[in-house]
Amino acid sequence: MPTDIEHGEDLAKLVALHQKRLGDALVTLEDRIADLMATAPLKDGELFDLEWAIAARTEIRRLVEEEYLTAVDGIIREYPSVAASASTMLATYGAFTEVDPKIITQLQNLTFQGFEDIGNEYIDVISKEVYQNTLTGRAFAESVKTIKEVAGGNMARYATQQMHDSLMQFDASINVAIGKEAGATKWKYVGRLIETSRPFCREHEGEVMTTERIEELWAGDWAGKASGDPFIVRGGYNCKHRFRPVFNEE
């Protein structure tokens, strides 16, 4: 199996591990928010204390930081090993320099900020739900049910998807940074095809393209295209491909 494909398989396994760790943290967070709700003052089984509801936002933020952001931070701290793996993989195809550690740190910080944004949205949505349920005097049991649905619903799914895309974009950034530093002008589109792979990835799998060709392809519009640098966003959300620098036709 080509080294770049092996690297992709290793990334897929790492993504699954990261998503599992994040998923476990989100389940714990959901349970701790439910425990927080259990401390809410009730009147005839209904929420009523707006002062408690306002103060609950601070507690929700603390829980998000302790469970969600702590898990994310631990995962992102492992990213340098991905950079090292990418460097080792590229070394089998030519003489490439190591990526600057400062670039790795900057990419880690940017990745964490993205998850921080999700966490802040999570805090806003849950806090608003708690306040509105208290304002309307909603039954405690129904309120807890709704809040758990919010906690484990779209936001949890989005964070899990983000975990995949963040790692793949980090790896893509390392590949491109090393390739451009070495003066690469041609890139091979390599990765994993799955059942849901987009037509773009199926069409260009294994193709060697010039930088100009890549920019030309991204000037158009196609299903699943994501905005941003084509070398980083590649085939769009959940894409399992990368542009690997090449100096000789393969």
Side-chain angles (χ1 to χ4, degrees):
M1 182 184 293
T3 307
D4 50 16
I5 300 301
E6 290 179 344
H7 178 67
E9 294 295 336
D10 289 342
L11 282 178
K13 294 175 183 177
L14 188 58
V15 164
L17 288 174
H18 286 179
Q19 289 178 324
K20 173 66 166 57
R21 286 166 59 183
L22 180 64
D24 290 343
L26 289 174
V27 169
T28 301
L29 174 60
E30 181 182 335
D31 290 341
R32 292 190 68 184
I33 289 178
D35 291 341
L36 171 64
M37 290 299 299
T39 68
L42 301 178
K43 181 182 296 183
D44 298 328
E46 297 179 347
L47 298 169
F48 75 94
D49 193 332
L50 290 177
E51 185 176 344
W52 179 90
I54 293 172
R57 181 184 181 90
T58 300
E59 283 302 299
I60 292 170
R61 177 173 294 280
R62 180 178 65 82
L63 295 177
V64 168
E65 291 174 350
E66 289 181 358
E67 300 298 339
Y68 167 72
L69 289 181
T70 296
V72 167
D73 180 66
I75 289 169
I76 293 176
R77 287 181 184 275
E78 298 175 2
Y79 277 22
S81 65
V82 176
S85 175
S87 295
T88 300
M89 177 269 293
L90 290 174
T92 65
Y93 295 100
F96 295 96
T97 60
E98 295 288 329
V99 66
D100 187 338
K102 292 181 180 178
I103 293 178
I104 295 176
T105 300
Q106 290 170 352
L107 290 172
Q108 287 176 286
N109 290 337
L110 286 172
T111 301
F112 185 80
Q113 287 172 16
F115 282 100
E116 230 176 5
D117 290 341
I118 297 175
N120 288 332
E121 183 179 353
Y122 187 101
I123 293 167
D124 288 341
V125 171
I126 297 297
S127 298
K128 182 179 180 181
E129 190 72 25
V130 170
Y131 185 82
Q132 288 182 335
N133 288 348
T134 304
L135 184 65
T136 59
R138 192 170 189 186
F140 174 75
E142 284 300 311
S143 181
V144 171
K145 179 182 177 182
T146 300
I147 289 169
K148 291 193 73 170
E149 287 174 351
V150 172
N154 290 335
M155 299 195 71
R157 287 192 292 272
Y158 181 63
T160 302
Q161 178 65 54
Q162 181 81 348
M163 186 58 68
H164 171 278
D165 290 345
S166 292
L167 182 63
M168 296 304 293
Q169 289 182 8
F170 175 85
D171 177 67
S173 298
I174 297 299
N175 274 262
V176 172
I178 293 176
K180 289 188 173 181
E181 177 67 22
T185 58
K186 292 184 179 180
W187 311 81
K188 188 173 184 179
Y189 195 58
V190 295
R192 300 170 62 236
L193 287 175
I194 58 176
E195 184 178 348
T196 56
S197 290
R198 298 183 178 90
F200 177 88
C201 292
R202 294 184 181 279
E203 180 181 352
H204 298 290
E205 164 75 19
E207 182 179 338
V208 175
M209 313 179 204
T210 63
T211 300
E212 292 74 20
R213 171 61 174 160
I214 294 170
E215 292 174 348
E216 177 185 321
L217 287 171
W218 256 260
D221 194 19
W222 37 271
K225 178 182 177 182
S227 60
D229 185 336
F231 285 95
I232 307 305
V233 298
R234 301 151 292 113
Y237 305 108
N238 204 36
C239 179
K240 304 183 185 303
H241 288 75
R242 77 190 64 81
F243 288 102
R244 195 231 323 141
V246 297
F247 288 95
N248 298 307
E249 288 297 332
E250 301 179 18

